[in-house]
Every structure is written in C-alpha cells, then in structure tokens.
Amino acid sequence: MKNLTYRLFVVIAMLIFSNISAQHQDLYESKTFINDIDTLRYRLLLPKDFSETKSYPLVLFLHGAGERGNDNARQLIHGSKLFADETKREAFPAVVIFPQCPQNDYWANVTVDRSTMPLTITFQNGGEPTKALTLVMQLMDEMLTKTYINKQQVYVGGLSMGGMGTFEILSRKPDMFAAAFAICGGGSTQDAKNYAATTSLWIFHGAKDDVVIPQHSIDMVTAILNYGGKPNFTLYADDNHNSWDSAFNEPKFLPWLFSKSKQLQ
C-alpha cells in the first residue's frame, strides 16, 4: 500500500511540474557536460544581467530519485522555482546548476531496498563514487575555473536522494563548499568527519516521513556535532517526505545560505 502511495506521489509531482515548468523552465539553459564517453545533462541558471566581468556565488542543486532520467527537464520539478523567482534573483544573484542523474544511477554510494516502505537504506563509508556523482564533481571542478565564479561562495544542497548526495559530495570535496543544505536525506555518519567542522549546514526533515525516515537526518546531526560541527536542524512535526516545501518557504533559508563564505587556503 505504501509503495502505491509513493508511486502516486511521483505521478502527482510530475503533473504539478507540467503545470508550473513553463513559468520558469526557460530561464534554465539546457547544457551537457561530456567527459570521454560519459555525458551529464544539466540546467544552468545565470543571474540577471550576467557579466563575465563580475563575480557570483555558485549553487549546486541535487534532485531526488523520482526526477532521474535523460530529458534534462524533470530535475527542475523541485527547487528550481525558488532560485528563478524574480525577487530572489534580484536579492541573491547567483549561478545555479541542476544536474540530472540517469535513471539507473544514484547521487550517493548507498544501497536502497525499495521493496520496503520506509525505504531500507544502507550508507557506505568511502568507496568509489557513482558515475553520476563523479561527473558532477568534474563539472564543478570545471565551473570553478571560470573567472566569474566566487570560489568563496560555493554551495550545495538537495532533497531525498539529493540530500544523500549532498552529504557525500561534501565528504569527497570538503574544501569546495562554504555551506550546504540537506532535505529529507541521510549519509555516512563516519564520513561526516571530513566536513563537519569546516562547512556550515542546515538539515531539514519531516517527522512523519515514511519514505526516508527522519532518523537518518538525526544521525547526521549527531555525527556532525560529535565531529565539531554546529549544524542548523529543522524537524517539521507535520511534514511527510515533501519537507522541501517547508524548507523552501523558510524566510531565513536563502539569506542564511548566501551569507556563508569559505576562507580559501
């Protein structure tokens, strides 16, 4: 029954996307990143009145498992509207990247049993990154060679599978990001030592989440605290899996994110 509920949730999300995407999808330029025989599809949002002579923050957004594919559009279902909002673009001019994970891949090095609900998720410590995350890291390395990117203001965040990918890319690129947000995700508590004390974090989850249990975020908060970090943590008492709606409506969310800066070595 819960598996059926989850599938219906994905279908409803797609219907919502079909209704709202036309309002802002055109602002995100369709791009591809190619490395040897591998291709990563992504969308790129540039600031209004973009100029290569200026310097801008860079935001990487990692979508959830339901938005995987190769259409280079579905990844915009959640989150893209926030950054494309006219008022937000005026207040927080930034370069924003929405990569798309292929259907048969994953952002994080995890084992997911979808025959259960909530999902049974086992996080791996270290190991080789997935092909999808490898390409994202290579794309980010390339973006950071651009003169118009402020290397002190590089941010990453995501939801569900993307929240898991957020924790993993932080562990693999701890010196890259000034701040990160992870919504209804989870990760390797052991690998949190790589970034806990040096990266600002805001972690969100719904207390009623019956897809990815909130305990995964609680475990990450505990690990980050144990390793010297001071994360923000918001647990929404009445939210199920789509706690991203509440997170994106936090009035302090974007001001907090764009206030963070990393001191480069």
Side-chain angles (χ1 to χ4, degrees):
M1 183 64 180
K2 289 185 176 180
N3 278 311
L4 176 60
T5 301
Y6 180 69
R7 288 195 293 269
L8 288 173
F9 178 82
V10 173
V11 170
I12 291 170
M14 287 301 298
L15 290 174
I16 294 172
F17 175 60
S18 66
N19 290 328
I20 69 171
S21 62
Q23 300 174 15
H24 59 268
Q25 183 174 337
D26 290 345
L27 294 174
Y28 287 86
E29 184 180 356
S30 179
K31 308 277 283 185
T32 56
F33 172 76
I34 300 174
N35 183 52
D36 294 329
I37 62 173
D38 297 318
T39 298
L40 176 72
R41 294 173 174 82
Y42 68 99
R43 290 291 186 124
L44 177 70
L45 176 71
L46 294 175
K48 293 183 64 177
D49 304 317
F50 170 76
S51 171
E52 291 194 5
T53 64
K54 297 181 179 179
S55 180
Y56 304 97
L58 174 62
V59 181
L60 169 66
F61 189 97
L62 301 176
H63 64 77
E67 293 78 66
R68 290 177 295 178
N70 60 6
D71 63 354
N72 207 6
R74 195 179 302 173
Q75 74 266 35
L76 297 177
I77 291 176
H78 304 297
S80 64
K81 187 178 180 181
L82 174 69
F83 294 102
D85 177 83
E86 194 75 9
T87 302
K88 302 294 195 304
R89 292 184 76 199
E90 290 282 358
F92 308 107
V95 176
V96 184
I97 296 176
F98 273 70
Q100 186 175 35
C101 182
Q103 186 64 46
N104 61 349
D105 210 340
Y106 219 75
W107 291 136
N109 188 7
V110 302
T111 302
V112 181
D113 181 357
R114 294 188 174 275
S115 68
T116 66
M117 196 61 69
L119 303 175
T120 300
I121 303 171
T122 304
F123 298 98
Q124 309 299 318
N125 300 318
E128 292 298 318
T130 65
K131 180 182 292 187
L133 190 68
T134 297
L135 287 169
V136 168
M137 291 189 291
Q138 291 169 344
L139 170 61
M140 291 297 289
D141 287 339
E142 181 179 278
M143 289 299 299
L144 289 181
T145 67
K146 309 296 185 183
T147 57
Y148 54 82
I149 296 299
N150 183 342
K151 297 173 182 60
Q152 293 178 288
Q153 288 186 283
V154 182
Y155 312 118
V156 61
L159 56 91
S160 196
M161 177 186 75
M164 301 173 201
T166 295
F167 288 123
E168 177 146 342
I169 198 171
L170 285 176
S171 71
R172 297 181 185 278
K173 292 283 191 180
D175 298 325
M176 179 177 286
F177 301 100
F181 58 93
I183 306 170
C184 59
S188 164
T189 55
Q190 178 178 305
D191 289 345
K193 65 179 180 294
N194 297 341
Y195 56 85
T198 57
T199 306
S200 298
L201 287 120
W202 195 342
I203 298 167
F204 305 87
H205 219 116
K208 296 181 179 179
D209 195 328
D210 59 2
V211 178
V212 178
I213 59 173
Q215 189 62 47
H216 290 311
S217 283
I218 294 170
D219 290 344
M220 292 306 296
V221 171
T222 301
I224 291 164
L225 287 169
N226 287 339
Y227 286 122
K230 300 293 185 291
N232 293 323
F233 179 44
T234 302
L235 184 67
Y236 298 108
D238 296 321
D239 279 9
N240 201 305
H241 192 50
N242 65 329
S243 52
W244 51 82
D245 289 337
S246 296
F248 295 153
N249 281 314
E250 288 283 351
K252 294 183 179 180
F253 176 51
L254 289 186
W256 169 85
L257 184 68
F258 287 102
S259 72
K260 302 304 178 181
S261 182
K262 198 175 192 77
Q263 296 302 314
L264 301 180
Q265 300 298 321

